[in-house]
Amino acid sequence: MAVPHFRYGIWHGGRDPLEPPFDIREALDEIGDDVLSGESPADALRRLLQRGTDRLRGLDDLRRRVRERQRAARRRGRLDGTLERVKELLEQAVAAERRELFPDPSDAARLAEAELDALPQDPARAVRALSDYQWRSDEAREAYEQIQQLLRQEVLDSQFRGMKQALQQAQGGDSAAMEQVKDMLADLNEMLSADARGEHTQEQFDQFMAKHGQFFPDNPADLDELIDSLARRAAAAQRLMNSLTDEQREELGNLMAGAMSDVGLASELDRLGQQLRSARPDLQWGGRERMRGDRPMGLGDATTALEEIADLDELESLLDQDYAGATLDDVDPELVERALGRQAVDDVAALRRVERELERQGYLTREEGRLQLSPRAVRRLGATALRRIFSQLDAAGRGDHDVADAGAAGEPTGASRQWQYGDEQPLDVVRTVRNAVLRQSGTAIADRTVDDRTVGDRTGSARTDDNPTGERTGHGRRGIKLAVDDFEVIETERRTSAAVAVLVDLSYSMALRGAWGAAKSTALALHSLVTTRYPQDAIEVIGFSDYARVIRPTELASMSWDMRQGTNLQHALMLASRHLAKHPDAEPVVLVVTDGEPTAHLTPSGQAEFCWPPLPDTIALTHAEVQRITRRGATINVFMLADEPGLVHFVDQMVERNGGRVFSPSPERLGEYVVHDYLRARRGRRRH
């Protein structure tokens, strides 16, 4: 005997092979609640992901946090802080210069004052006019230089996050820092151009980061990540300019252009903006934002606020999942982490796992892009609906529905008999093997009593394809050869079976009255009861509106009401009659769930004709189908979900012809009435 060999190694991550299966029963039951209430599987899954579960935060909670962050970002301040600060520094410089000139009686001082008096009201033109002015006041000169430095830092910070701090910490002063920025912009533009031509390599990016990495604190891993970061910030900067008034936009634009031109950066920045827009045209480059704060923000801080708002807006749209083909795979974990933190990423991952496990474990399937419940899920929903219905029934009303072993052949009597050709009864294995042992062992063994345990031990070497003659095997035991005469079958009593047709109204009025969910849940529960507890019964669910059609259980769980006019009970009874004809030996039972009198019928051409009030032909043809089913011996029990006079009158006439029963339950108790009536009929058949 070969000894098995095992190899052990390091687990490199991924799904833990020893991890127990992910428990999605709670999620499936919650989806089932919504499906049984009338929603489609896709809508039910979406609602589950939105509201979450007792142990899992849903998308609604995440969206609430996103909206809170949006409100906080919009209250952060005003967008014109840089323009306001330039005006303050300009007024400070002019006032300090006037104080310096006032004591001087010279004509040069008067000419300087006249030059200050002639400054334009526009801050940008005033700053430009003072570019060649010979300042006498050190305080004024310093204030003016702060304007230039502020504009350069704010403009660069609006394009590169954290640039202001990098420039403030730069060695060698402002001029040296500007030279480093100029080199970085030139290299960056060249790298973007090479990428557009398809010539960029990762090695070039690594060299770029080694040289200019101090300007990119986010430390991007590749060019795509860098482009994405720069493009999102550039788009936010463009929206900032769009959000200013026309006057503010013109003043700030001129100030920025002048400041960048002075250090030779204007053309490189303009080229960068064009390349970023070309690389990421899908970003929100247009639009305006309305900020509600009172604190003035600099250009860089305002851009950061608008960039954050754009991320939050995008995340809110993704979390809403209100678009065709939406899945949680669309939600970018990096976007979630930037906006809400690491815990939110874990929450989304848990929801995504629920979504995936429902499909992986075979409860949900996608057919032609549509989410559908699998037969396995439908069976569970039917069982859930059935449990809820039985929980409403009292103990006496439950009857004997809990049949542990229901075979198609009938109830075992405890006796057995020799097998005959055509028998459907189950094989009695113990007596069959016993007959073979007695026959082969001779009369000496025939007098002995062979108990079941001994027979069980001796059957271990029964005749197989490898030992067709019953020769002694390698284990020292003689094989047993079975003959036709050895076979015995278990005697059973034939159980009464039924052919059940459940006719469910699919018309729009069922949804308006809030009865559609109860009708669907009832049909699923009854189907589950029949197929699992009474498999000898044949059940068929038939839905009807303007036309009628047979509905599979998987289709029933996923379907909604019809938006068509008409209650074509005639067509539904025709289909029910065909179902009963397929089972001539079964007791026929027809259950009708409706909230309206017949308003449609089939014409001789097979087309549905609708009319309200109902045509006499509609009523007459429907009664004709009732009469035809009655001649088959079928009982029609009607469950009325409305008490309209026309419906009551029609049902009274139908009962007179058929002799069935009429119930008027509320939608909440429909399942209880239908299942109880079915069990009552079964008990009646058993006593009969």
Side-chain angles (χ1 to χ4, degrees):
M1 179 177 178
V3 179
H5 295 278
F6 301 95
R7 296 181 63 185
Y8 299 88
I10 299 176
W11 181 53
H12 296 288
R15 186 177 182 272
D16 186 355
L18 300 180
E19 180 183 10
F22 188 70
D23 188 1
I24 57 172
R25 290 175 297 180
E26 180 183 2
L28 183 62
D29 288 342
E30 296 219 10
I31 290 177
D33 289 340
D34 291 333
V35 169
L36 295 178
S37 298
E39 293 192 6
S40 67
D43 291 338
L45 176 60
R46 182 167 175 262
R47 281 174 57 88
L48 170 69
L49 298 178
Q50 286 176 339
R51 66 175 179 254
T53 64
D54 293 339
R55 295 174 293 178
L56 188 63
R57 285 189 292 189
L59 298 178
D60 284 344
D61 182 70
L62 295 176
R63 284 207 311 274
R64 177 186 57 78
R65 294 168 58 191
V66 167
R67 288 191 289 269
E68 290 176 354
R69 294 289 302 274
Q70 286 173 325
R71 288 192 294 268
R74 288 189 169 93
R75 290 195 300 264
R76 195 170 298 171
R78 303 197 316 267
L79 299 177
D80 59 348
T82 296
L83 186 59
E84 183 175 312
R85 180 58 178 161
V86 168
K87 291 179 179 179
E88 292 177 356
L89 290 173
L90 183 60
E91 292 175 358
Q92 180 181 340
V94 172
E97 183 69 7
R98 288 184 184 279
R99 289 195 299 270
E100 186 70 23
L101 295 174
F102 180 74
D104 187 353
S106 65
D107 293 337
R110 303 290 79 77
L111 289 174
E113 288 177 341
E115 186 176 352
L116 295 178
D117 292 338
L119 287 175
Q121 294 296 319
D122 182 2
R125 288 190 294 166
V127 170
R128 175 61 64 185
L130 292 172
S131 61
D132 297 328
Y133 181 81
Q134 300 298 318
W135 298 96
R136 296 193 181 186
S137 169
D138 293 338
E139 179 185 352
R141 184 184 303 105
E142 182 179 352
Y144 182 79
E145 290 175 354
Q146 286 183 16
I147 293 176
Q148 300 296 330
Q149 186 179 21
L150 172 68
L151 287 171
R152 289 192 293 267
Q153 291 179 354
E154 291 291 353
V155 169
L156 291 172
D157 198 48
S158 68
Q159 298 293 325
F160 304 92
R161 182 192 294 269
M163 178 64 77
K164 184 190 299 184
Q165 290 76 13
L167 292 175
Q168 291 172 351
Q169 298 172 4
Q171 301 294 327
D174 187 63
S175 59
M178 286 299 106
E179 286 299 324
Q180 295 177 14
V181 172
K182 188 182 301 183
D183 292 342
M184 181 271 292
L185 283 173
D187 292 345
L188 177 59
N189 280 322
E190 286 302 319
M191 186 166 59
L192 293 178
S193 298
D195 182 63
R197 297 190 303 267
E199 300 173 358
H200 170 73
T201 64
Q202 181 65 30
E203 183 180 358
Q204 292 173 341
F205 176 80
D206 294 338
Q207 292 174 357
F208 173 83
M209 289 299 297
K211 183 178 179 181
H212 305 293
Q214 71 272 20
F215 295 114
F216 304 98
D218 293 341
N219 195 25
D222 52 35
L223 182 58
D224 286 338
E225 190 174 331
L226 175 62
I227 290 176
D228 184 68
S229 175
L230 294 177
R232 286 189 297 103
R233 192 158 184 84
Q238 182 60 53
R239 289 196 306 277
L240 185 153
M241 298 298 293
N242 297 341
S243 303
L244 298 174
T245 64
D246 294 341
E247 181 181 359
Q248 290 174 336
R249 188 182 310 113
E250 182 180 4
E251 291 178 355
L252 185 57
N254 291 334
L255 284 169
M256 294 164 56
M260 294 297 100
S261 297
D262 290 343
V263 292
L265 295 178
S267 61
E268 291 290 353
L269 284 174
D270 183 63
R271 182 186 175 193
L272 175 63
Q274 293 177 4
Q275 294 199 89
L276 290 176
R277 191 159 190 160
S278 176
R280 293 292 187 272
D282 55 305
L283 295 178
Q284 185 182 354
W285 294 91
R288 302 164 64 102
E289 293 290 349
R290 183 179 177 183
M291 305 295 286
R292 302 179 179 87
D294 297 327
R295 182 178 64 86
M297 291 188 295
L299 198 58
D301 292 340
T303 302
T304 299
L306 295 191
E307 185 181 3
E308 181 180 343
I309 291 174
D311 284 348
L312 292 169
D313 290 344
E314 180 183 0
L315 181 58
E316 183 181 24
S317 175
L318 293 174
L319 293 178
D320 189 55
Q321 297 280 285
D322 191 17
Y323 54 91
T327 67
L328 288 181
D329 289 333
D330 301 336
V331 181
D332 185 1
E334 294 183 3
L335 179 60
V336 175
E337 187 168 8
R338 283 199 308 267
L340 300 177
R342 185 64 206 176
Q343 180 59 48
V345 176
D346 296 337
D347 293 337
V348 173
L351 292 173
R352 185 182 293 115
R353 186 174 186 188
V354 169
E355 185 179 37
R356 289 176 177 172
E357 288 292 328
L358 284 169
E359 294 191 44
R360 193 186 69 80
Q361 296 187 25
Y363 290 107
L364 294 178
T365 60
R366 292 189 183 271
E367 299 179 5
E368 299 180 355
R370 295 181 55 193
L371 203 63
Q372 301 289 342
L373 290 174
S374 68
R376 180 183 182 188
V378 171
R379 288 194 297 270
R380 181 176 177 87
L381 294 189
T384 300
L386 189 60
R387 284 197 305 271
R388 292 175 181 173
I389 289 173
F390 278 126
S391 68
Q392 298 171 354
L393 296 172
D394 56 20
R398 290 175 61 108
D400 56 351
H401 70 281
D402 290 326
V403 179
D405 182 14
E411 298 282 359
T413 63
S416 66
R417 60 175 175 79
Q418 188 175 13
W419 173 83
Q420 298 177 1
Y421 179 79
D423 280 340
E424 297 179 354
Q425 284 79 3
L427 183 69
D428 190 328
V429 178
V430 173
R431 287 190 171 95
T432 297
V433 176
R434 178 179 182 274
N435 293 337
V437 171
L438 292 175
R439 179 177 50 78
Q440 294 182 43
S441 300
T443 56
I445 300 180
D447 295 334
R448 298 169 52 187
T449 300
V450 183
D451 58 25
D452 291 348
R453 180 176 300 176
T454 304
V455 173
D457 289 340
R458 298 175 65 93
T459 59
S461 57
R463 176 179 177 266
T464 65
D465 291 340
D466 295 332
N467 186 23
T469 61
E471 297 292 336
R472 182 176 300 273
T473 66
H475 296 286
R477 298 176 181 176
R478 185 177 298 277
I480 299 175
K481 184 177 180 180
L482 299 179
V484 174
D485 293 339
D486 296 332
F487 285 91
E488 291 194 23
V489 295
I490 299 174
E491 287 190 342
T492 60
E493 293 179 343
R494 177 66 62 179
R495 293 182 296 183
T496 303
S497 63
V500 184
V502 184
L503 281 53
V504 181
D505 192 342
L506 304 181
S507 62
Y508 187 51
S509 60
M510 291 282 287
L512 293 178
R513 288 191 171 94
W516 165 240
K520 182 164 69 170
S521 176
T522 298
L524 278 173
L526 186 60
H527 189 277
S528 176
L529 175 63
V530 172
T531 55
T532 59
R533 303 298 187 184
Y534 303 107
Q536 73 274 15
D537 289 358
I539 183 172
E540 189 167 82
V541 180
I542 300 170
F544 61 95
S545 54
D546 55 344
Y547 291 92
R549 61 186 185 275
V550 177
I551 304 174
R552 295 174 300 151
T554 53
E555 182 185 2
L556 176 64
S558 306
M559 73 182 303
S560 184
W561 58 86
D562 285 343
M563 295 295 291
R564 303 179 181 89
Q565 291 180 319
T567 304
N568 197 339
L569 182 58
Q570 177 224 8
H571 192 194
L573 291 171
M574 292 174 63
L575 297 182
S577 182
R578 296 175 190 173
H579 173 63
L580 302 182
K582 297 176 184 176
H583 306 277
D585 296 332
E587 181 176 345
V589 176
V590 179
L591 308 177
V592 180
V593 178
T594 184
D595 69 338
E597 60 187 305
T599 58
H601 68 276
L602 294 182
T603 64
S605 63
Q607 299 296 316
E609 182 175 353
F610 165 78
C611 183
W612 172 259
L615 294 172
D617 287 349
T618 301
I619 301 299
L621 290 172
T622 305
H623 280 312
E625 289 300 327
V626 171
Q627 200 70 29
R628 186 174 292 110
I629 284 184
T630 302
R631 287 196 296 270
R632 290 185 177 276
T635 300
I636 303 178
N637 291 345
V638 183
F639 300 85
M640 296 194 309
L641 300 179
D643 56 358
E644 296 177 352
L647 174 61
V648 173
H649 179 67
F650 170 79
V651 171
D652 287 343
Q653 290 181 326
M654 186 170 66
V655 170
E656 289 180 7
R657 286 178 166 82
N658 177 263
R661 306 173 71 196
V662 181
F663 303 89
S664 298
S666 63
E668 294 77 15
R669 300 192 64 189
L670 174 63
E672 176 184 347
Y673 273 66
V674 172
V675 172
H676 186 273
D677 184 66
Y678 169 77
L679 293 175
R680 180 201 61 79
R682 287 208 99 266
R683 288 194 295 272
R685 291 198 301 273
R686 180 171 295 182
R687 287 193 296 270
H688 177 73

